[in-house]
Amino acid sequence: MAKCDVCGNDENMPYNCRHCGGTYCGDHRLPENHDCSGLENWNDPQGVFDSGFDDGVGSGESTSRAAGIVDKLPIDTGPGGPLAYFRGNMTYTFLALMWLTFAAQFVVGTFFGTETMRTLFVLRPYYPEYVWTWVTSIFAHGGFYHIVGNSIVLFFFGPLVERYIGSRKFAILFLVSGALAGLGQITIQTLQTAMVTPLTPGVVGASGAALAILGVLTILNPDLKVYLYFILPVPIWVLTGGYALFSIFFLSTGGGGNIAHMAHLVGLVIGLAYGQYVKQNRNVSAPSRLEFGGGGPGGPGGPGGPGGPGRGRF
């Protein structure tokens, strides 16, 4: 829990201004409400100040060029327009990209063949040099229930982490943890398989990133209550611990079917480590409970375990 630099009130979800570095509550998060020193250096003929909470607002000549390009688009990109919901909100931007990628998988597979689809979207042990799949595989999924399970976790937990660390750092956490989780999975597959071939299953799914998000929240507040099906209260550490034990068990026994257990563990470890870093440097905590309809052992979901996010093998 942090204190607002203006009013001194305790704040569970503080805002940090990237211009002056201060910590503020919701009432004082805007630069003009906390007498931000950055206001003195702002020179915008349109009178729009970059508050530090909207990465879509820039400054200087780069802003003018960007604005000129944006103005030419045939859609309303201004405040309140159809894209306003995604501005400064990476959680829902990534959710949208996941579903768009899922649709693209279907289109490419239908019209250009399965191999083309795999080349574009599946991170495979035989083709680790296809570096674009390090990213595209995060947003691609192996089936409808697979993407629904990961979407549920990202929808409910993603905004909490994004508020603590900011949209930019959240995006880095999501992409780096997702990519390293996938690379960790194909590495263990290569070590466990006598010879990988183009037909060796690859990996898709956002569960590495989803487990990283859960890991961050577990460190910030291990007793955060998650209401499975809006009925059963479960501490978040039970969920993350369940995922870890589930994945370790099947990795040690060589079972688990088409579930990328190593990807789960890599993502979780990254999240736990980053959560510890945030906790030491920011002194923040999560709220005491969260109503959630699934996403842990026992809830609805995809191939990633009993009801959780799944990074599936494909």
Side-chain angles (χ1 to χ4, degrees):
M1 183 171 295
K3 291 183 178 296
C4 175
D5 292 344
V6 175
C7 62
N9 291 334
D10 291 330
E11 183 68 20
N12 283 328
M13 294 182 290
Y15 296 86
N16 285 84
C17 179
R18 73 180 181 201
H19 295 287
C20 64
T23 301
Y24 306 101
C25 65
D27 293 335
H28 296 104
R29 67 184 182 88
L30 296 178
E32 56 269 27
N33 290 343
H34 63 256
D35 195 24
C36 180
S37 58
L39 282 170
E40 300 175 1
N41 302 321
W42 184 252
N43 180 21
D44 184 358
Q46 296 181 345
V48 180
F49 181 75
D50 178 4
S51 65
F53 305 101
D54 185 350
D55 292 337
V57 181
S59 62
E61 183 181 354
S62 61
T63 300
S64 299
R65 288 197 300 266
I69 295 173
V70 169
D71 289 341
K72 296 178 181 178
L73 295 176
I75 55 177
D76 179 11
T77 59
L83 297 183
Y85 191 68
F86 299 95
R87 186 176 294 109
N89 190 341
M90 293 308 302
T91 297
Y92 299 125
T93 299
F94 285 146
L95 272 173
L97 288 175
M98 282 167 51
W99 285 91
L100 289 173
T101 302
F102 188 59
Q105 287 178 257
F106 174 78
V107 172
V108 172
T110 300
F111 293 99
F112 299 97
T114 301
E115 181 58 28
T116 300
M117 187 278 294
R118 287 164 59 85
T119 298
L120 291 176
F121 299 111
V122 182
L123 176 58
R124 292 182 282 178
Y126 194 76
Y127 299 110
E129 70 276 13
Y130 289 178
V131 293
W132 59 87
T133 61
W134 298 8
V135 176
T136 57
S137 64
I138 302 172
F139 299 97
H141 285 79
F144 179 75
Y145 291 107
H146 188 196
I147 190 173
V148 167
N150 282 328
S151 295
I152 289 174
V153 174
L154 184 58
F155 179 84
F156 282 97
F157 293 111
L160 294 177
V161 175
E162 186 173 356
R163 288 170 190 164
Y164 301 147
I165 65 178
S167 296
R168 184 174 301 176
K169 291 181 180 178
F170 178 82
I172 294 174
L173 172 68
F174 186 91
L175 294 174
V176 170
S177 61
L180 291 180
L183 291 171
Q185 178 61 36
I186 65 171
T187 298
I188 197 68
Q189 285 180 242
T190 302
L191 294 176
Q192 292 178 340
T193 306
M195 181 178 67
V196 296
T197 71
L199 298 179
T200 302
V203 60
V204 293
S207 69
L211 266 296
I213 291 170
L214 291 180
V216 171
L217 289 175
T218 299
I219 293 297
L220 295 182
N221 190 344
D223 294 322
L224 171 66
K225 291 295 188 300
V226 177
Y227 280 75
L228 295 177
Y229 299 110
F230 305 97
I231 298 176
L232 180 64
V234 178
I236 194 171
W237 70 264
V238 172
L239 297 184
T240 53
Y243 282 128
L245 292 176
F246 185 81
S247 297
I248 291 173
F249 172 78
F250 282 108
L251 276 175
S252 62
T253 60
N258 292 325
I259 302 173
H261 296 292
M262 179 55 71
H264 289 186
L265 290 177
V266 171
L268 181 57
V269 168
I270 292 174
L272 293 173
Y274 187 69
Q276 187 63 39
Y277 170 81
V278 171
K279 186 175 182 178
Q280 290 177 346
N281 291 274
R282 295 277 300 278
N283 189 30
V284 298
S285 61
S288 59
R289 70 178 185 179
L290 177 68
E291 292 186 357
F292 182 48
R311 188 169 181 89
R313 296 172 64 185
F314 194 84

